[in-house]
Amino acid sequence: MDKDRSSVGIAGRRTVCIFVVLAVVVAGLCISNRALGQNRDSVPGSRAVEAAGKSETTPSEGKPESGMTLERGRSVYTNAQPLHKNYFRTGLETAAFLAIAAGYYYGTLEDRRWYEYTIPKGTFEARFETGDAYRLDNNDWDSNVGHIAAGTGYYLLARTNDLSLTESFLVAAGASTFWELFGELRDEFSINDAIMTPIGGFAIGEPMFQLGEFFQHSAPSIPNRALGFLFGPSAAIHRWLDNTTPKAPENVDKYCLTTDAWHRFRVFAGGGGSYSPDADKFRSEAQMGFDFEVITAEKFGKPGEASINYLDGVFNELAFQAALDGSTLVDLRFFSKTAFLGHYEQCISMDKESQTLRGTSLFVGLSSAFEYYNHSFIGMRREDRQAICDLVGPTLIADFYRCGLHVRATAELYPSFSMVTPAAGALYDETHNISGVKSVYRFESYYYALGATAGGRVEMEYGPFGLDGRVRYHYFDSIDGLDRFEDSRVTDDIEFQDQRLGLQLTLFYALPIENFKLGLSAEKIYRWSDIDTMAWSGDETRFFGNVVFEF
């Protein structure tokens, strides 16, 4: 077996175990919440909203909301506490985070991978005089993905100290830049880390923050406290230290979840398979995952009018899925997205006869996303891997309600910065000398790319039926001339180009068991890869049936 594939498989199985445990814990806690919701006396201060589709209204419902709102995503909760920005604690916690990283870095200096410059003369000249230190690093894949996790930590520490979205991003970007300038003094200033750490941290951190806020502003049941800590650990700790834990909300649903913000949580598991027309082979697979969404736009999904400008993350999604062929991981995907800095319009009423919503809503603004993709095509020796930071781009989200029908359409476009394993890499390596190519590809089998992402999604719900159609296209073009060893060892700086197009259609049907659905999905993956003068293309078709627990 290929060395890269073996190491990634081990890391992937560990990741699957972590996320499967997470999904089971979330489902179990929410079922526990349902039991608590049936016993209303166990949730003091909260009232359960009984009728589906009849959200509890406030006295102002039906009146238009308007105006510029910088922290609207938090104030949508009726039990939200006043904000108190704590810059001092943010600084202390960020410094402690950096100190731990420095302890590891300087404790492992015997590792030759850190050796690049002499201290202090060589490194400061390269950073502040000649500029030679500004390069793309050739770290292993997992180390660079770990930097995105660090960026998420920086962002959440600031965000849960009541700093705004913009301030929290600046903290993450500042901490990352400081580390590259003054932390890793034996190493180059890693351009890729300086980009992916804050951007990836923001794209993951804001949805995690909003999920944590949702559970922490729901009824104070043990399951909600656990879920609130799971998604927002630093927020829970800060509120405990400051004695600012939110009181019980006025209105909750049957799962003791607040009705102040719209949510849809799905946990699913099932089976199916993939078919490769090139290899003419079919592979049976087991699939599991989750998809969590929280929308904090005022009155979203409820009767009323609104015209509001937002800065906070308003439409937030965190999703994961994995597929196994026996004990072998063959597909792993993680997706996180937040839509922010935009305008939201709504005009929705409740039809008195049918008791269904009628009207439209529209959000136009910016969004950012992060996607981790790892797929094994049938017959290919090396995994197809991408870690994609969709930087910032325009997004449009429109909802239509009529006679029990709900349609949502989403469109988005981004510039991107990515780590990419070329699909044609294994074939190219067998027939070409790679001794003079980019060092990150020569040592780690991936490259850095600039590119673009375009995506669209249409969802429909009517009675027990649901439909979810998605399309997502990625284009990657290698960054040339900035390799860590560009001036010494790169003698053949060839160009890499890759493309991936994904099409997916899922049909849902509500089962007789409450909150359970059957999901039948079909997916098509198209892949194109060009390395220098060599080209490769392939595709794969996947079919799955899943049992979906939606709440």
Side-chain angles (χ1 to χ4, degrees), residues 79-261:
N79 57 339
Q81 298 289 323
L83 297 177
H84 298 287
K85 296 185 179 184
N86 198 327
Y87 296 104
F88 180 70
R89 187 165 63 191
T90 300
L92 284 181
E93 292 175 341
T94 304
F97 201 113
L98 290 169
I100 293 171
Y104 170 75
Y105 179 80
Y106 287 101
T108 56
L109 275 180
E110 69 277 4
D111 189 334
R112 295 294 301 179
R113 61 179 169 161
W114 304 128
Y115 284 24
E116 184 70 21
Y117 300 106
T118 57
I119 298 177
K121 183 179 179 181
T123 188
F124 285 110
E125 283 183 354
R127 278 165 163 74
F128 302 109
E129 294 183 20
T130 66
D132 292 338
Y134 296 86
R135 300 286 184 178
L136 298 170
D137 69 36
N138 57 9
N139 290 350
D140 64 87
W141 180 275
D142 290 341
S143 293
N144 277 337
V145 172
H147 285 291
I148 298 170
T152 304
Y154 295 140
Y155 183 85
L156 286 174
L157 286 177
R159 198 74 167 97
T160 57
N161 271 308
D162 288 346
L163 272 63
S164 70
L165 177 150
T166 305
E167 292 170 326
S168 300
F169 173 77
L170 291 175
V171 167
S176 176
T177 302
F178 180 87
W179 174 254
E180 294 298 329
L181 283 174
F182 304 107
E184 294 180 314
L185 291 175
R186 277 291 185 98
D187 217 340
E188 76 281 345
F189 181 103
S190 175
I191 297 173
N192 49 284
D193 288 347
I195 295 173
M196 298 188 79
T197 300
I199 295 291
F202 164 65
I204 299 173
E206 182 65 13
M208 282 190 64
F209 169 76
Q210 295 295 347
L211 281 166
E213 291 294 283
F214 177 85
F215 287 112
Q216 290 177 29
H217 286 86
S218 294
S221 63
I222 292 177
N224 282 337
R225 290 181 187 274
L227 291 167
F229 185 84
L230 181 67
F231 290 104
S234 54
I237 293 171
H238 291 159
R239 286 185 170 125
W240 177 73
L241 291 172
D242 300 335
N243 195 26
T244 56
T245 301
K247 297 180 181 179
E250 292 183 3
N251 302 304
V252 297
D253 64 14
K254 60 189 175 185
Y255 288 101
C256 297
L257 301 175
T258 177
T259 60
D260 292 336

